[in-house]
Amino acid sequence: MAKKEEKLDEETMALIHWCIEVEHHLVAGGATQAQAQEHIEEQIEWFTDLFYDNLTPEEAAKEALA
């Protein structure tokens, strides 16, 4: 039986794309891609708060690197 695919809502998709952009900025700041992904996964609640506080991905990466 085929697995039913769930569609994510627009807000969730926006958060995912925002996190991808944060990852790019973390890598540009010196992290490896694996380190950036792990940090975002470990701190997802904090990054989600930054997303809803309307920080840009670049601003969020600067906060994370500070």
Side-chain angles (χ1 to χ4, degrees):
M1 187 179 248
K3 189 175 183 181
K4 182 179 178 183
E5 290 186 31
E6 291 185 38
K7 289 192 175 188
L8 299 175
D9 61 61
E10 287 183 28
E11 189 172 47
T12 301
M13 287 301 298
L15 175 59
I16 290 168
H17 289 290
W18 183 88
C19 286
I20 291 169
E21 289 297 315
V22 171
E23 177 186 325
H24 292 294
H25 289 288
L26 291 174
V27 169
T32 66
Q33 186 174 10
Q35 289 170 329
Q37 288 174 355
E38 182 178 345
H39 183 65
I40 291 169
E41 289 171 8
E42 290 176 351
Q43 301 295 325
I44 193 61
E45 290 180 15
W46 182 69
F47 280 105
T48 300
D49 288 344
L50 296 180
F51 172 78
Y52 285 112
D53 287 343
N54 295 315
L55 269 70
T56 67
E58 184 177 13
E59 291 169 333
K62 285 181 182 177
E63 289 282 326
L65 293 169

